[in-house]
Amino acid sequence: MEVRRARWTAVGTGALLTVAGLAASALRSTGSATALIPVSYASGAAVCAVASVLGSRGRTRRALWLMIAGVMVMAVGDQFD
């Protein structure tokens, strides 16, 4: 039961972070920001999407680390914003 909950948590969190990253990328691409900022958000979202897939396959530890890496990539974009 706990394994299933960990998988669903990894999938849900990864999907939520993916949607947030893509939304931030879309919002930043319409502004007058440099191209690095939307690319950073989109790259972080892609990493979180991969983490979501890994989480659904039971690789929850790797998914967690990939989500952390994806959020850190998005944070780099936020620092340049």
Side-chain angles (χ1 to χ4, degrees):
M1 188 63 144
E2 288 185 30
V3 173
R4 185 175 295 153
R5 188 178 310 151
R7 284 183 182 179
W8 280 108
T9 301
V11 169
T13 306
L16 180 69
L17 288 172
T18 300
V19 169
L22 289 175
S25 176
L27 287 173
R28 298 300 188 262
S29 66
T30 60
S32 63
T34 63
L36 177 67
I37 296 168
V39 168
S40 174
Y41 281 114
S43 300
V47 172
C48 289
V50 170
S52 181
V53 170
L54 283 178
S56 71
R57 294 182 179 177
R59 304 288 187 189
T60 54
R61 186 176 296 154
R62 289 181 185 160
L64 171 68
W65 285 109
L66 275 178
M67 281 186 257
I68 291 169
V71 170
M72 287 175 64
V73 169
M74 288 189 242
V76 168
D78 192 49
Q79 288 296 315
F80 289 116
D81 194 15

